[in-house]
Amino acid sequence: MKKNILEAGFLREFTRTCSNMYRLGWDERNGGNISYMLDEKEVGEYLDLSASGRIIDAGFEAPTLVGKLFLITGTGRYFKNVELDPETNTGIVRILDGGKAEILWGYAGGGRPTSEFAAHLMSHAERLAKDPAHRVIMHCHATNTVAMTYVHSLDEREFTRTLWRMATECMVVFPDGIGVLPWMVCGTNEIGRVTADKMREFRLVVWANHGIFGAGTSLDEAFGLIETVEKAAQVYISVLGTPIINTISDKQLKELADAFHLVPKAGWLDL
């Protein structure tokens, strides 16, 4: 007899993360989406993985992801409701050949995965090629990060350097820097492809005037990356327009990286 999936640790962690993101103001209405690659053996304790499910168009053919299982937020679904009714607001899918996916659980009432489904798959494919331990793609509208894109250069090096200086932990958390994209229409394969291209190099990608994508080996890691960027962006917005008396120098950033045995993005420190 299969266990009750509503009691699964991976589902509880996922829904709790959605609630935290809503509480922080990162995912208003149905803004934002998360995809979490699951362990097949663990999911098999809760679902009959041999049973046939509803077939949908994934919007992207991802050969390296075929057979993999993902827990993904639903399109048009509000983050504030995910923890209350995960079976309606999320679902588990298996990636199939030919750009298709099979719904194994969830999306009650005929729902389907987020409109950014293809973008998530593209980024998962790139991050897995970079790091086999990769599991999560997380997108949200972190308020201060979005605000920063209105008043700061979108040059990746300068954007990252500003954030590194806003809080000491930033160099420790994202020494590899942040990718930045100009405004583009969301929900398209075009923005998905350029985001995935950035994901070859960065674990964080900012969409100007829109939000941020974070990748990680766990929900906590992806959440923590975005959380750290958002806090630094909040500091930046708070001091914007006031005289800066103290700052963290590039020499000090290098000392910090050395102390934690990190390698900052090559050429991004002036030393």
Side-chain angles (χ1 to χ4, degrees), residues 65-93:
L65 301 181
V66 170
K68 296 192 181 299
L69 307 180
F70 290 90
L71 172 59
I72 313 174
T73 50
T75 186
R77 300 304 180 182
Y78 290 27
F79 264 47
K80 71 182 182 67
N81 296 330
V82 171
E83 195 166 20
L84 299 172
D85 184 3
E87 190 168 6
T88 297
N89 296 290
T90 71
I92 295 174
V93 302

Side-chain angles (χ1 to χ4, degrees), residues 43-63:
V43 177
E45 296 178 10
Y46 300 91
L47 300 178
D48 179 3
L49 297 181
S50 65
S52 299
R54 177 161 51 104
I55 306 299
I56 61 171
D57 184 1
F60 173 67
E61 192 165 354

Side-chain angles (χ1 to χ4, degrees), residues 159-178:
F159 200 91
T160 298
R161 284 163 56 83
T162 293
L163 291 172
W164 279 346
R165 291 193 179 98
M166 291 300 107
T168 299
E169 69 172 344
C170 288
M171 172 58 77
V172 178
V173 175
F174 52 94
D176 45 342
I178 297 173

Side-chain angles (χ1 to χ4, degrees), residues 35-37 124 127 131 133-138 199 203-204 214-223 225:
S35 55
Y36 180 19
M37 190 169 72
H124 275 292
R127 288 310 305 173
D131 180 1
H134 165 83
R135 289 293 179 272
V136 176
I137 294 292
M138 185 177 291
M199 284 283 180
R203 293 172 298 153
L204 291 157
T217 59
S218 66
L219 288 165
D220 271 353
E221 183 184 30
F223 183 94
L225 282 168

